[in-house]
Amino acid sequence: MEKIEHTTVATNGINMHIASIGTGPEILFLHGFPELWYSWRHQLLSLSSLGYRCIAPDLRGYGDTDAPKDHREYTVFHILGDLVGLIDSLGIDKVFLVGHDWGAVVAWYFCLLRPDRIKALVNMSVVFQPRNPDKSFVQISRDLFGDDYYICRFQEPGEVEEDFAQMDTARIIRKFLTSRNPKPPRIPKEVGFRGLPDNPNLPSWLSEKDINHYAGKFNKTGFTGGLNYYRCLDLNWELTAAWTGLQIKVPVKFIVGDLDITYNMPGAQDYISEGGLKKYVPFLQEVAIMEGVAHFLNQEKPEEVSSHIYDFIKKFN
């Protein structure tokens, strides 16, 4: 870990913290919620040793990167502006892209809107969902799961922050990272996130040091930056109307754990296995379903995930 370099880059009106290591073809790693560049620590070390320059930013709103207060400054266009500005500032023309969770959502948009900057994509957990011209993702989620569904609960600025404030930050991180319940999370207001089950024992792949690293950063920044991505879902839907029906046209590998809540959403498994995903991602070349693995697969099975990434992107060097 001490070999990983930490720098700050000015991009798109903010200062972005990046962790990087290695030389060679560049891989850009995009983390999710509630995470940091640190989620890719294993892949940075592994893939840099195989001849790649690995770059993992704290995305806008996270860690040591600037966090504008207004949620309207977290649209996919803001995030992509940050990332294009980042690779421009580093003198990089094209990158291999790797995403997970919200990072996967951003990665799909990156490939949709700026495929000229992407060599190939390895995406994890969140499938590409074509824009529904009639209903936003939040409304579809509300129709399916009700107002207590976590994405719906995240919409009102300040509400969830008040809920989180009643808990120790390390406990919040622990709840998220160790959850293995594949059912869609519903959190009634009267119960709150503190009502989610606690896992007294950390799994072997997660240490107290790891929890404390995340907690230390979120203690400084709070969770609003990360939550603002969810609060821009409806705005993203409005702003991307012109791209309705567009396909992802870069080479893609998709990886998901069979215990991931995303894989257990209604219709998700059929969408992946029966050609729905391939219809909208025509250059989808590989799908890996990891057995007995939950949502934070890049940390739970770091060696396997690193191998999946390497085995795919080496075809395009």
Side-chain angles (χ1 to χ4, degrees), residues 11-307:
T11 173
N12 194 28
I14 66 169
N15 293 309
M16 173 171 274
H17 165 251
I18 63 169
S20 61
I21 184 172
T23 58
E26 294 88 358
I27 310 173
L28 180 63
F29 295 88
L30 307 179
H31 67 79
F33 177 88
E35 299 181 87
L36 303 163
W37 76 267
Y38 189 79
S39 303
W40 299 109
R41 59 197 179 279
H42 304 295
Q43 286 74 37
L44 283 146
L45 295 173
S46 176
L47 289 157
S48 64
S49 73
L50 295 170
Y52 291 89
R53 182 185 181 189
C54 298
I55 303 161
D58 285 335
L59 294 177
R60 174 181 289 239
Y62 286 93
D64 294 317
T65 292
D66 288 350
K69 292 182 180 179
D70 191 335
H71 75 272
R72 292 169 293 185
E73 294 184 49
Y74 288 79
T75 71
V76 291
F77 295 102
H78 288 88
I79 310 305
L80 293 189
D82 299 344
L83 296 173
V84 171
L86 169 63
I87 61 176
D88 282 347
S89 70
L90 297 176
I92 300 168
D93 180 31
K94 290 188 174 186
V95 295
F96 292 111
L97 192 59
V98 178
H100 171 253
D101 188 79
W102 253 107
V105 177
V106 172
W108 289 125
Y109 275 113
F110 204 152
C111 294
L112 190 73
L113 301 175
R114 291 304 306 266
D116 57 307
R117 307 303 297 267
I118 309 300
K119 294 179 181 178
L121 167 67
V122 178
N123 233 4
M124 302 178 202
S125 293
V126 181
V127 294
F128 178 68
Q129 298 183 347
R131 181 184 181 276
N132 185 315
D134 301 315
K135 282 187 178 181
S136 73
F137 181 75
V138 174
Q139 187 57 55
I140 292 169
S141 298
R142 204 180 301 277
D143 291 347
L144 281 172
F145 305 118
D147 291 338
D148 290 340
Y149 185 54
Y150 79 106
I151 287 176
C152 303
R153 286 290 317 282
F154 283 174
Q155 294 303 307
E156 185 62 34
E159 183 180 295
V160 171
E161 287 91 330
E162 289 183 17
D163 191 348
F164 285 175
Q166 299 179 47
M167 287 182 284
D168 177 71
T169 303
R171 184 182 171 203
I172 297 170
I173 298 297
R174 184 189 292 254
K175 281 177 182 283
F176 275 104
L177 295 188
T178 62
S179 174
R180 302 185 72 77
N181 185 350
K183 295 180 180 178
R186 293 185 177 91
I187 300 95
K189 288 184 181 181
E190 60 272 17
V191 175
F193 282 82
R194 60 194 176 280
L196 292 175
D198 286 295
N199 294 283
N201 299 312
L202 287 178
S204 60
W205 52 269
L206 192 65
S207 69
E208 291 291 349
K209 179 183 176 183
D210 298 330
I211 295 290
N212 290 335
H213 181 90
Y214 288 111
K217 295 299 181 182
F218 282 100
N219 274 331
K220 288 170 56 179
T221 65
F223 289 90
T224 298
L227 292 166
N228 280 341
Y229 287 66
Y230 296 90
R231 291 166 185 160
C232 263
L233 281 166
D234 278 348
L235 184 54
N236 286 336
W237 178 76
E238 294 174 11
L239 294 174
T240 56
W243 290 273
T244 302
L246 204 63
Q247 294 174 312
I248 301 286
K249 291 193 173 179
V250 303
V252 173
K253 178 172 187 168
F254 181 71
I255 311 170
V256 66
D258 66 354
L259 297 180
D260 197 318
I261 61 170
T262 62
Y263 188 62
N264 290 278
M265 290 292 184
Q269 295 178 29
D270 289 343
Y271 176 70
I272 294 168
S273 65
E274 296 182 7
L277 181 59
K278 179 77 170 177
K279 176 182 176 182
Y280 294 101
V281 188
F283 301 154
L284 177 68
Q285 297 188 11
E286 297 178 29
V287 173
I289 312 298
M290 299 180 69
E291 294 184 6
V293 179
H295 183 65
F296 296 96
L297 67 175
N298 49 329
Q299 298 182 76
E300 182 178 344
K301 294 290 183 180
E303 296 86 2
E304 290 181 40
V305 167
S306 294
S307 294

